[in-house]
Amino acid sequence: MSKRATAREVAEQAGVSKWTVIRAFTPGASIAESSRVKVMAVAEKLNYRPNLLARSLATNLTHQVAVLVDDFENPYKLSFLERLTLELQSEGLVAVLININEHFDHVHALLNADQRQLDAVIMCGTAFRTEMLQDVRLDGAAPIFVLARDSQIPGVPAINCDTTLAIKDLCRHLHGKGYRRPGFMAGPKTLSTALGRRRAFKAFWKAQGIAEMPELAAHHYSAASGAEAVRRYLNEVPPAGRIDVLLCENDVLAFGAMDVIRSEFGLKVPADIAVAGFDNTLFAAAPAYDLTTYEQPVEAMVKATVAMILGREPKKTVILPGRLVVRGSA
Amino acid sequence: MSKRATAREVAEQAGVSKWTVIRAFTPGASIAESSRVKVMAVAEKLNYRPNLLARSLATNLTHQVAVLVDDFENPYKLSFLERLTLELQSEGLVAVLININEHFDHVHALLNADQRQLDAVIMCGTAFRTEMLQDVRLDGAAPIFVLARDSQIPGVPAINCDTTLAIKDLCRHLHGKGYRRPGFMAGPKTLSTALGRRRAFKAFWKAQGIAEMPELAAHHYSAASGAEAVRRYLNEVPPAGRIDVLLCENDVLAFGAMDVIRSEFGLKVPADIAVAGFDNTLFAAAPAYDLTTYEQPVEAMVKATVAMILGREPKKTVILPGRLVVRGSA
DNA sequence: TTGTATGCGTTATCAG
DNA sequence: CTGATAACGCATACAA
């Protein structure tokens, strides 16, 4: 039942001042080896370890980083969280995971992070309105980073995959495969716009002299919404006038789309309609989907983010190239 | 560029003592309405908000809870994280997400949580050796809770789904469907044992007078390992002697198994081999898998955990019933 | 190398 | 209701 020992208690038992105890636990502090050993022995006995809370109060560094997430339906988020926590922890930082939802929005989260003196805030692919950040006065607060999404906010760097390049790579592949009647499935309007994938898609095909590009609108970034969108389309448009390839804004939408195309309409992928996604989610590789998609450079993005947080790199928007993953679906 | 204002600064500008400022921000503190208004005005102007770090140091409460996770390959974890963060945040707590891996093990995480004075530690389905906890001396430290797994450690309550009931429900369904040659796919030995699913499985079929139950061993809880295990089995055992139903320890293994059964061996699910899983992952509902599985009562489990953390419920192991989800795969 | 004084921004407690 | 004093556990600067 030995309660947490404090530096003062250790000092008493070791017969030194508490500052000497602190020094023993401060790497690079000037302290005699003899007293260091003595202190450490007593510390071990009393089960003493420095109180990081008190340290944070004194140093103004919590070594904690807020990670804001709002879409838990996308398994892809899990990869991001894994890499992010891994990278943070390897640098002595930890992630405070904040669930952004109707009851707890960005402003709420930002204020909270501020009050807890967190060292940085990473908005991990969260959907936010640019105006939102201007409402909040966070002058002395932690720097904010936008991960896996663009940021138009001055002073708030984004670390993102090169969307233009990515969509171009994807579309070039589809075009090379001979598809000429492309369709695009987007998520909710505002969020979709922020991703910029639709724009790049239209630009590519227009450059190829193809003007007609049906758009299927999904209400959420979920398989169910993807399914619903494609169901609506297939019910409305007779076979002759249909698209021959569908690029979905992300894998989750693509999964839902493929499910409906095959199970409900008895069509073949890619023979009748080819499908491609974005993210290279774990399941994209499963034979059941075998989805052609695009992989974001998660590790590089995460490393770049953490480097900026640590001040090893200047804070500025970074765009990194990803990787086209060709599989059987398109 | 207004730096973070402190209570003292606000006090000076408002012409009161800093304690009055604190009172203005302390719900239920006795303070004159007039001075409260005065303080709030200045606080607003100076952009003051209480420093939770300092508060934590004084109160010994951080309102932060460590959430340990070690398996980021299972999309199911995402549901847990979503519900957990949601519930914690609705109670004024936040989750510190800790990635348990080779470089950062449970002991490391526990010590870290201790030093950061976290209020509690939730081991969210992590694989640990019982001895491990005894090595760590964490007497005055935060209470530990084991979520979605059993705990044999005295004083460390587990919040889990009723495995025995769950497996019995699943198996009864399979038996009712007429399957008589059951097989079980387990994950890594030690982790699997901790889950207790295999044991319940064997018990059920033995009670039905069926003794032979092939076991397929997966090395990890991943689709690839599930695929590999079933591939090995199907290559070794000729069609005549094969199982007619395979219960996998979790959905992810089941997905991998189904992939191989159908794509590599051209067999039908459930006609040739039926498959069932455990967890009711998002993808289990997809037509591509249409997996019969068992759903853990995530929300109830999470609520029970948080209730104990807040001291609203006594700390003790809780076993909750889940829900059988019957689909087309078995 | 070691000890001392002071500060970090709160909370708790008591006197007025 | 308000101000003052001590305490939370450590860091920083300085003196010995």
Side-chain angles (χ1 to χ4, degrees):
Chain A
M1 291 303 146
S2 73
K3 297 273 295 183
R4 231 185 299 271
T6 157
R8 198 177 52 80
E9 304 178 270
V10 174
E12 282 169 8
Q13 287 223 18
V16 297
S17 75
K18 64 173 175 175
W19 294 276
T20 302
V21 175
I22 303 284
R23 285 192 184 93
F25 282 87
T26 306
S30 77
I31 179 176
E33 182 60 17
S34 61
S35 51
R36 204 188 68 80
V37 169
K38 187 168 53 181
V39 166
M40 285 314 218
V42 179
E44 167 75 13
K45 196 180 101 194
L46 295 184
N47 199 20
Y48 165 82
R49 256 176 307 279
N51 181 335
L52 296 188
L53 210 54
R55 175 176 296 177
S56 293
L57 182 60
T59 57
N60 254 318
L61 280 177
T62 54
H63 298 287
Q64 293 192 141
V65 174
V67 176
L68 278 46
V69 176
D70 66 355
D71 175 18
F72 287 82
E73 283 213 59
N74 192 341
Y76 190 51
K77 284 290 160 68
L78 210 46
S79 325
F80 259 109
L81 286 180
E82 177 177 23
R83 294 299 179 87
L84 197 48
T85 48
L86 204 62
E87 183 68 16
L88 288 171
Q89 286 171 205
S90 76
E91 299 290 351
L93 303 172
V94 300
V96 174
L97 181 62
I98 309 256
N99 184 338
I100 301 293
N101 53 67
E102 315 89 273
H103 307 298
F104 204 98
D105 62 10
H106 282 84
V107 175
H108 208 106
L110 254 21
L111 293 181
N112 199 271
D114 180 39
Q115 293 192 56
R116 288 183 191 276
Q117 314 282 92
L118 301 195
D119 295 347
V121 174
I122 299 175
M123 311 210 291
C124 187
T126 59
F128 61 91
R129 295 166 300 105
T130 299
E131 316 84 75
M132 174 272 302
L133 280 186
Q134 278 134 10
D135 297 348
V136 201
R137 293 177 49 195
L138 292 168
D139 309 310
I144 301 174
F145 300 89
V146 172
L147 184 57
R149 180 163 248 115
D150 279 333
S151 155
Q152 307 303 336
I153 311 159
V156 175
I159 299 87
N160 204 355
C161 149
D162 188 335
T163 304
T164 310
L165 175 66
I167 296 292
K168 198 177 287 178
D169 276 1
L170 266 168
C171 290
R172 202 170 330 184
H173 165 74
L174 299 179
H175 188 266
K177 278 273 192 166
Y179 300 111
R180 292 296 181 272
R181 299 194 307 279
F184 188 78
M185 182 186 289
K189 190 88 178 213
T190 50
L191 315 187
S192 173
T193 307
L195 285 175
R197 293 174 190 172
R198 199 189 62 137
R199 202 174 335 123
F201 177 85
K202 296 208 135 186
F204 176 89
W205 292 101
K206 190 169 271 180
Q208 308 300 319
I210 293 175
E212 199 187 348
M213 294 166 258
E215 274 191 45
L216 319 202
H219 298 310
H220 305 288
Y221 285 112
S222 68
S225 287
E228 188 205 324
V230 92
R231 186 182 298 123
R232 214 180 316 126
Y233 174 78
L234 292 178
N235 276 327
E236 280 176 6
V237 183
R242 287 176 186 162
I243 55 178
D244 60 0
V245 61
L246 176 66
L247 177 59
C248 300
E249 208 158 31
N250 73 23
D251 283 1
V252 175
L253 292 177
F255 295 144
M258 285 179 78
D259 285 341
V260 168
I261 290 172
R262 297 188 297 199
S263 326
E264 296 184 19
F265 289 82
L267 300 174
K268 296 283 182 198
V269 173
D272 297 312
I273 298 182
V275 176
F278 203 108
D279 279 350
N280 195 25
T281 311
L282 265 175
F283 283 87
Y289 292 106
D290 198 31
L291 186 67
T292 289
T293 183
Y294 194 88
E295 184 178 293
Q296 295 190 44
V298 182
E299 186 157 353
M301 290 166 69
V302 164
K303 279 189 188 297
T305 307
V306 175
M308 285 192 238
I309 290 177
L310 293 171
R312 287 214 277 256
E313 297 286 340
K315 288 193 191 72
K316 67 161 193 229
T317 290
V318 175
I319 305 297
L320 298 162
R323 185 173 69 91
L324 174 68
V325 180
V326 176
R327 297 206 181 89
S329 74
Chain B
M1 290 304 148
S2 74
K3 296 274 294 181
R4 231 185 298 271
T6 157
R8 198 175 54 78
E9 305 177 88
V10 175
E12 282 169 9
Q13 287 223 17
V16 297
S17 74
K18 63 175 176 177
W19 295 279
T20 301
V21 174
I22 302 284
R23 284 190 184 95
F25 283 86
T26 307
S30 76
I31 180 177
E33 183 59 16
S34 62
S35 52
R36 203 189 67 81
V37 169
K38 188 168 53 182
V39 166
M40 286 312 218
V42 179
E44 168 74 15
K45 195 181 103 194
L46 296 184
N47 198 20
Y48 165 83
R49 256 176 307 279
N51 181 334
L52 296 187
L53 211 54
R55 173 177 297 176
S56 293
L57 181 61
T59 58
N60 253 318
L61 279 177
T62 54
H63 298 288
Q64 293 191 143
V65 174
V67 176
L68 278 46
V69 176
D70 65 356
D71 175 17
F72 287 81
E73 283 214 58
N74 192 342
Y76 191 50
K77 285 289 160 67
L78 210 45
S79 325
F80 258 109
L81 287 180
E82 177 177 23
R83 295 300 180 87
L84 197 47
T85 48
L86 204 62
E87 184 68 16
L88 288 171
Q89 286 170 206
S90 75
E91 299 289 352
L93 303 172
V94 301
V96 174
L97 181 62
I98 308 254
N99 183 339
I100 300 293
N101 53 67
E102 314 90 271
H103 308 298
F104 204 98
D105 62 11
H106 281 84
V107 176
H108 209 104
L110 254 21
L111 293 181
N112 199 273
D114 180 38
Q115 293 192 57
R116 288 183 192 275
Q117 313 283 90
L118 301 195
D119 295 347
V121 174
I122 300 175
M123 310 210 292
C124 187
T126 58
F128 60 92
R129 294 166 301 104
T130 299
E131 314 86 72
M132 173 272 302
L133 280 186
Q134 277 134 10
D135 297 347
V136 200
R137 294 177 49 196
L138 292 168
D139 306 313
I144 300 175
F145 300 89
V146 172
L147 184 57
R149 179 163 249 115
D150 279 333
S151 156
Q152 307 302 336
I153 311 160
V156 176
I159 299 87
N160 204 355
C161 150
D162 188 335
T163 304
T164 310
L165 176 65
I167 296 292
K168 198 177 286 176
D169 276 1
L170 266 168
C171 290
R172 202 170 330 181
H173 166 75
L174 300 179
H175 188 265
K177 279 273 191 168
Y179 301 111
R180 292 296 182 272
R181 300 195 306 279
F184 189 79
M185 182 186 291
K189 191 88 178 213
T190 50
L191 314 187
S192 173
T193 307
L195 284 175
R197 293 175 189 170
R198 199 188 63 137
R199 202 174 336 121
F201 177 86
K202 296 208 136 187
F204 176 89
W205 292 102
K206 190 170 273 181
Q208 307 301 319
I210 293 175
E212 199 188 346
M213 293 166 259
E215 275 191 44
L216 320 202
H219 297 310
H220 305 289
Y221 285 111
S222 68
S225 288
E228 188 205 324
V230 91
R231 186 181 298 124
R232 215 182 314 127
Y233 175 78
L234 293 177
N235 276 328
E236 280 176 5
V237 183
R242 287 177 186 162
I243 55 177
D244 60 1
V245 61
L246 175 67
L247 177 59
C248 299
E249 208 158 32
N250 72 23
D251 284 1
V252 175
L253 292 177
F255 295 143
M258 285 180 77
D259 284 340
V260 167
I261 290 173
R262 297 189 298 198
S263 326
E264 296 183 20
F265 289 83
L267 300 173
K268 296 282 181 196
V269 174
D272 297 313
I273 298 183
V275 176
F278 204 107
D279 279 349
N280 195 25
T281 310
L282 265 175
F283 284 87
Y289 291 107
D290 198 32
L291 185 68
T292 289
T293 184
Y294 194 88
E295 183 179 292
Q296 294 191 44
V298 182
E299 186 158 353
M301 290 166 71
V302 164
K303 279 188 188 298
T305 307
V306 175
M308 286 193 240
I309 290 177
L310 294 171
R312 287 213 276 255
E313 298 285 341
K315 288 193 191 72
K316 67 160 192 229
T317 289
V318 175
I319 305 296
L320 298 162
R323 184 173 69 92
L324 175 67
V325 179
V326 176
R327 297 205 181 90
S329 74

